[in-house]
Amino acid sequence: MAAENNNAEEITEDMREEISEHAKKLVSELEQGHEQAFKADFDELHGYDQGQFYLNLPSQLRQQVIDWLDPSDLADVFDEIPLDDDLDPSELLKEMSPKYAAEMLDKMYSDNSVDFLEELNAHDLGMYLSLMPENDSQDIRELLNYDDETAGSLMSHEFIAINENDTIPEAMQAVKIAAEDAEQITYIYVLNDNNKLVGVVSLRTLMLANDELHLRDVMDTNIISVTPDEDQEQVAHVMADYNFTSLPVVLDDTLLGIIMVDDIVDVIDEEATEDYSRLAGVDVDSNDDNPLKAAAKRLPWLVGLIFLGMGTASVIDSFNGLVATAPILAVFISLITGTAGNAGTQSLAVAVRRLAFKESENIWKMLGSEILIGVAIGVVAGFTIFGVVSIWKHDVLLGVAVGLAMGIAILVANVAGAFIPMIMDSIGVDPAVASGPFISTLSDLTSVLIYFNIAGLFIKLFGGI
Amino acid sequence: MAAENNNAEEITEDMREEISEHAKKLVSELEQGHEQAFKADFDELHGYDQGQFYLNLPSQLRQQVIDWLDPSDLADVFDEIPLDDDLDPSELLKEMSPKYAAEMLDKMYSDNSVDFLEELNAHDLGMYLSLMPENDSQDIRELLNYDDETAGSLMSHEFIAINENDTIPEAMQAVKIAAEDAEQITYIYVLNDNNKLVGVVSLRTLMLANDELHLRDVMDTNIISVTPDEDQEQVAHVMADYNFTSLPVVLDDTLLGIIMVDDIVDVIDEEATEDYSRLAGVDVDSNDDNPLKAAAKRLPWLVGLIFLGMGTASVIDSFNGLVATAPILAVFISLITGTAGNAGTQSLAVAVRRLAFKESENIWKMLGSEILIGVAIGVVAGFTIFGVVSIWKHDVLLGVAVGLAMGIAILVANVAGAFIPMIMDSIGVDPAVASGPFISTLSDLTSVLIYFNIAGLFIKLFGGI
């Protein structure tokens, strides 16, 4: 399937190949100075592909693109460049003249230009802002004030807002004029004479409405909105529940901006990756091709936990006399620490997700429930171990000791797994910071304490095990 | 803020309270038979809130709603009911007459009605389909054929497709007519005379275009699409990259359906929860308020792993003579198994994510990289342990033995953590099935094997440790 034959292309190897064919053509046009051909062919690409093409160019050819494209055209490209750790926006901007860069940033959707600007140092930020029209730089300064990961930091100012007294044809005309700049035209926001948000109307409703009506007659007054300081995870839930493609950000009935669903898709993806990374104790999103760098990123957690693990080792060491008397005790160390660690990881994961969704407002109820779960799991696992050990070693007393230790160790790990993220949440730390490896290493410590104390008690009481 | 004053409401406690006030009013209208008042008040709610209200009603009051609402109105409500494990669609449908239910299912967006229908038994499914108009039931049968978690299972048939030879005013008129039923009107798909997909045009472009032009003049022929058998995770990536709000599903240039961004939001959420659950070895999404039920769901993994852990115990048991000779060996069991388990969990998580994103096509390169990472981490962690143990126990030989065992155990766990999901992926099993607890329990086994063999060798070679 060639691009020329106007056929639909599937995202397949074919298509990727085609994109790279197209990219090669663009590069040769850049190198040979074919400005018009380049512009026409570049225009055929989707925004995302334009962004990827631009990023993958050598700096020198990017200069050529900058020379040929208007700041407003390049703004469309930059709107589609995803900002991640591997990208330094200030380097990209320094390839342009300050005036060009400022104009381009100004033409981008405000949420995107803010994402770029907040990565800059204070000097560069000030420079670019001072080169923008006063109004626009004020707009952006305002957006820069919102905390990262809040609704305010996600919103853009490019929405369509129309007075409620407009007739349907007037409103349609206003939408047409605004469509050039707005980030979306699916929802039109309706303001009263005091510029307060009083309703929302979909373009679909507008198109189907009778020409004699006014906006106030067709608008939906039941507005679902978020405040600018709302956490982005909560914003994502609202958007996911209501299936909107944009959501207004409102404070005191004033419409401050809108959040688009594609930004929410990114938020959900980011938050999920973050939670997953923390549960594993490694940043799964860093695409380091260099194994040494990747190892360097994983080591801090591992080495830190080795020192916590040394605590466990010294607990066992302090019971060394006991192990010398009853070497059989060593056999079950890893079974008990491993199983308790697994149970702790389970309850940690459940607690982190519950806290993220704020499903359970009542922390004590959640903790009570986790204790009951711990007891239930501890009893079943303890009896299982009791049965297996008694039969295997023909020693009921040993079975009781190991089973009892296992049951209690699981209960403790379960409660710790749920309690630690709750404490973190209540002191304002993201509960997802408590990693799986941390909980299981911590539970190793409590588990061996419980195990050897119970074994010691049994030996004292029954004179042996 | 009361609903009556037309002001914007933030999603806050206030708002939730208001929704529940509104719900109470609706319930009393249902109980007292105030049909008109109920219809008007119900209509004020957003689809999602209507769905939640309906689900939370006692069955008897749902019957009242069914009596009062047309199948097509109730279809709008059902379109917003999220299907999860706790919901049995067949029970909801059995509260209606078969004819009413069939008509309602027919009026829902086809992707949603398929989601409901595929939960039914063959008898009920056949009954409802036979009660629908022939055309529609055929449409649905076709959608039912697609595998779960593919693009085909996500798509709906309610798109707008117009011939390329239509003029702009003709197209606008067609959009207006289709707007009533279409799931979205942001993108209009363009067909040639053979009904093949040749382009896509946004409503925005259509609104701004000159009336004299034809669709073929303004359409974008660079179509990003997916095939019906594409995995839903890949579809989500395409949508997230390109920031579209809908994506066409195409086979042999024929437009089969469209996928909406809100379904993709759900997919991303689901897939993330699934991966997270598997890493933790527990379904974090089940909202069981009953602790015993929750415990019952967590136990299979735990108890299964206890039996794997018994393997580790019997390995240690087979070295019991060694432990009796050198009880100090028991001290480092949990440190070595714990650290290797942590390293294994890290590499597992990285591998699962990489495979999900197909970032690395070359499995051997990925494995080679993970071996190098394992060596690097093993060397650093091994030297750390060597230092700590040598100093703590004033015993360099013990330090060397424990450090060496640690290094090798980490290397093995690292490689296993990456290799197991890769094998699963290559035999067609979702690599996320390999859970963190499984890898760490498995690595307990390999770690003690390595540890005691090395310790035994040292004792044999040097006559003690």
Side-chain angles (χ1 to χ4, degrees), chain B residues 107-320:
Chain B
K107 298 283 180 189
M108 287 170 70
Y109 289 122
S110 43
D111 55 336
N112 298 333
S113 68
V114 164
D115 287 344
F116 270 82
L117 286 166
E118 64 193 1
E119 299 287 320
L120 304 182
N121 61 41
H123 172 266
D124 289 355
L125 173 63
M127 177 181 70
Y128 291 128
L129 286 178
S130 70
L131 287 167
M132 291 182 190
E134 184 61 23
N135 260 349
D136 297 354
S137 67
Q138 205 138 4
D139 255 24
I140 287 180
R141 267 180 220 281
E142 190 194 301
L143 290 177
L144 280 166
N145 276 333
Y146 293 107
D147 281 344
D148 220 22
E149 315 210 332
T150 62
S153 77
L154 290 172
M155 71 185 184
S156 81
H157 285 154
E158 290 80 9
F159 51 79
I160 303 184
I162 304 181
N163 189 283
E164 58 175 337
N165 296 318
D166 275 17
T167 62
I168 302 296
E170 281 168 349
M172 276 303 270
Q173 195 50 39
V175 171
K176 274 191 195 177
I177 293 167
E180 199 66 68
D181 288 322
E183 197 161 3
Q184 60 92 22
I185 58 171
T186 309
Y187 299 108
I188 292 106
Y189 298 96
V190 187
L191 308 180
N192 66 12
D193 289 334
N194 301 321
N195 275 324
K196 299 291 186 186
L197 181 67
V198 289
V200 59
V201 60
S202 70
L203 181 56
R204 183 198 297 241
T205 305
L206 214 55
M207 286 175 68
L208 297 174
N210 194 313
D211 276 1
E212 274 89 70
L213 295 174
H214 293 82
L215 267 188
R216 60 172 179 271
D217 306 318
V218 295
M219 70 185 182
D220 185 353
T221 58
N222 179 6
I223 302 165
I224 304 290
S225 65
V226 291
T227 54
D229 57 350
E230 188 76 77
D231 185 82
Q232 63 175 6
E233 218 163 339
Q234 298 302 321
V235 178
H237 291 159
V238 174
M239 203 103 148
D241 282 345
Y242 285 91
N243 291 340
F244 294 143
T245 52
S246 70
L247 198 61
V249 182
V250 172
L251 193 65
D252 297 332
D253 296 337
T254 301
L255 177 60
L256 301 178
I258 56 166
I259 298 175
M260 298 295 303
V261 67
D262 56 279
D263 294 319
I264 290 304
V265 166
D266 296 339
V267 165
I268 294 177
D269 222 14
E270 254 170 53
E271 295 272 351
T273 301
E274 232 175 78
D275 287 358
Y276 190 79
S277 291
R278 279 159 177 175
L279 191 63
V282 59
D283 177 9
V284 293
D285 219 19
S286 84
N287 25 20
D288 275 316
D289 280 334
N290 182 339
L292 284 183
K293 274 195 188 160
K297 281 196 181 159
R298 294 192 205 173
L299 272 165
W301 253 122
L302 279 183
V303 172
L305 292 177
I306 283 177
F307 287 93
L308 183 53
M310 283 305 300
T312 310
S314 58
V315 167
I316 304 179
D317 192 44
S318 70
F319 287 97
N320 224 0

Side-chain angles (χ1 to χ4, degrees), chain A residues 183 239 245 260-267, chain B residues 240 243-244 261:
Chain A
E183 196 161 4
M239 203 102 146
T245 52
M260 298 294 302
V261 67
D262 56 277
D263 294 320
I264 289 304
V265 167
D266 296 340
V267 165
Chain B
N243 291 340
F244 294 143
V261 67

Side-chain angles (χ1 to χ4, degrees), chain A residues 374-434:
Chain A
V375 169
I377 291 179
V379 167
V380 175
F383 265 100
T384 307
I385 282 295
F386 157 75
V388 172
V389 172
S390 304
I391 293 167
W392 181 33
K393 290 286 163 191
H394 307 291
D395 186 340
V396 176
L397 201 59
L398 181 68
V400 172
V402 178
L404 190 63
M406 172 76 99
I408 297 175
I410 285 177
L411 173 61
V412 170
N414 232 56
V415 174
F419 199 56
I420 290 173
M422 281 185 220
I423 293 176
M424 287 182 159
D425 187 58
S426 67
I427 60 172
V429 177
D430 184 343
V433 169

Side-chain angles (χ1 to χ4, degrees), chain A residues 317-336:
Chain A
D317 193 45
S318 70
F319 286 98
N320 225 359
L322 203 63
V323 177
T325 323
I328 185 76
L329 288 177
V331 170
F332 302 103
I333 292 177
S334 83
L335 182 62
I336 289 178

